[in-house]
Amino acid sequence: MKVVISPGDIDAELTAALDAYLDTQLGPAIASDAQRYAPKRTGHLASTIGHHVEDHRLVVYATASYAAYVEMGHRVAHGPGMSLLGPKVVAPQPYLRAALYTERDL
């Protein structure tokens, strides 16, 4: 026996319930954890973290211009116009991934 459920088969009521869960429970929980895990020098990075639901998918984001560099790590720029990459590497400080992978009881 084989059961296949395609997105077109999902009832609109179930889809609405899923969107509501993502927007009111899971999204705020992940965004809150990401804000807590974000390194705090000025607090700007944490203040740019948010979430929204788009096409039945939860999107958690940080809009600070340097957000990806903190999450993924980077090499330090130097020289005239900061165009040269040096050997010094700043280690990643994951805050979005850490929040995403946190075990939850929701």
Side-chain angles (χ1 to χ4, degrees):
M1 179 177 188
K2 182 177 181 180
V3 177
V4 177
I5 300 175
S6 66
D9 297 336
I10 297 177
D11 182 59
E13 192 173 313
L14 178 60
T15 302
L18 172 63
D19 286 351
Y21 171 75
L22 294 175
D23 194 36
T24 63
Q25 292 186 9
L26 188 58
I30 294 173
S32 175
D33 283 346
Q35 290 168 343
R36 190 164 39 95
Y37 297 154
K40 310 248 183 346
R41 186 175 300 168
T42 65
H44 176 69
L45 176 60
S47 74
T48 69
I49 296 171
H51 77 280
H52 68 271
V53 176
E54 182 177 302
D55 296 326
H56 314 300
R57 295 183 181 127
L58 176 62
V59 178
V60 179
Y61 58 86
T63 58
S65 61
Y66 54 89
Y69 298 114
V70 174
E71 178 79 14
M72 307 301 286
H74 61 92
R75 289 174 53 191
V76 177
H78 63 90
M82 303 292 279
S83 60
L84 302 173
L85 291 178
K88 184 176 179 188
V89 175
V90 176
Q93 298 178 57
Y95 56 96
L96 288 173
R97 288 175 291 170
L100 175 64
Y101 296 132
T102 297
E103 188 173 328
R104 306 174 193 287
D105 295 324
L106 296 177

